[in-house]
């Protein structure tokens, strides 16, 4: 057996060991990217819900929010402030609480000098 053949035989186990380490790391990385994308989309929904809620509250209309969201409406003079908190999809330690806030002038105060 030549020295190059002996070297090739000992390297065979390294490829399997490297694959055993790299493949789970790539899967974890891909799952983290997907989770981040889902959390970002949920944050965008919270921001949209806060804006729509502020407009609806300013017009004294009913509002819609994401499932499981907590909506807080407050009034500060001629402005209506809406805060939306919603849980982001996630497992265990990866779960987040997303928050968004929006302010709109109250419908009855539009066009009135303040």
């Amino acid at each position: 057996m030549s020295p190059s053949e002996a070297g090739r035989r000992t390297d065979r186990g390294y490829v399997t060991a490297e694959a055993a380490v790299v493949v789970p790391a790539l899967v974890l990385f891909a799952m983290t990217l997907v989770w981040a994308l889902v959390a970002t989309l949920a944050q965008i929904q919270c921001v949209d819900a806060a804006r729509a809620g502020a407009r609806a509250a300013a017009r004294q209309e009913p509002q819609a929010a994401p499932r499981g969201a907590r909506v807080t409406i407050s009034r500060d003079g001629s402005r209506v402030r809406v805060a939306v908190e919603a849980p982001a999809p996630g497992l265990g330690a990866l779960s987040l609480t997303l928050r968004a806030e929006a302010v709109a002038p109250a419908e009855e105060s539009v066009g009135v000098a303040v």
Side-chain angles (χ1 to χ4, degrees):
M1 179 179 334
S2 71
S4 63
E5 289 177 3
R8 275 191 234 136
R9 288 188 180 172
T10 58
D11 288 344
R12 285 185 183 170
Y14 287 110
V15 173
T16 303
E18 289 170 359
V21 171
V22 171
V23 170
L26 288 175
V27 169
L28 180 64
F29 181 70
M31 289 175 61
T32 302
L33 287 176
V34 169
W35 174 80
L37 178 65
V38 169
T40 301
L41 291 174
Q43 178 64 32
I44 291 169
Q45 286 180 329
C46 280
V47 170
D48 290 344
R51 285 183 190 151
R55 284 191 301 267
R59 294 182 195 131
Q60 299 176 353
E61 296 175 353
Q63 58 183 331
R67 179 175 297 190
R70 186 175 62 171
V71 178
T72 306
I73 302 172
S74 61
R75 231 178 138 124
D76 180 22
S78 63
R79 295 179 185 214
V80 177
R81 181 179 309 271
V82 176
V84 178
E85 290 185 17
L91 304 171
L94 294 179
S95 62
L96 297 172
T97 300
L98 304 173
R99 293 178 181 86
E101 190 173 301
V103 178
E107 185 81 6
E108 64 272 4
S109 68
V110 175
V112 177
V114 178

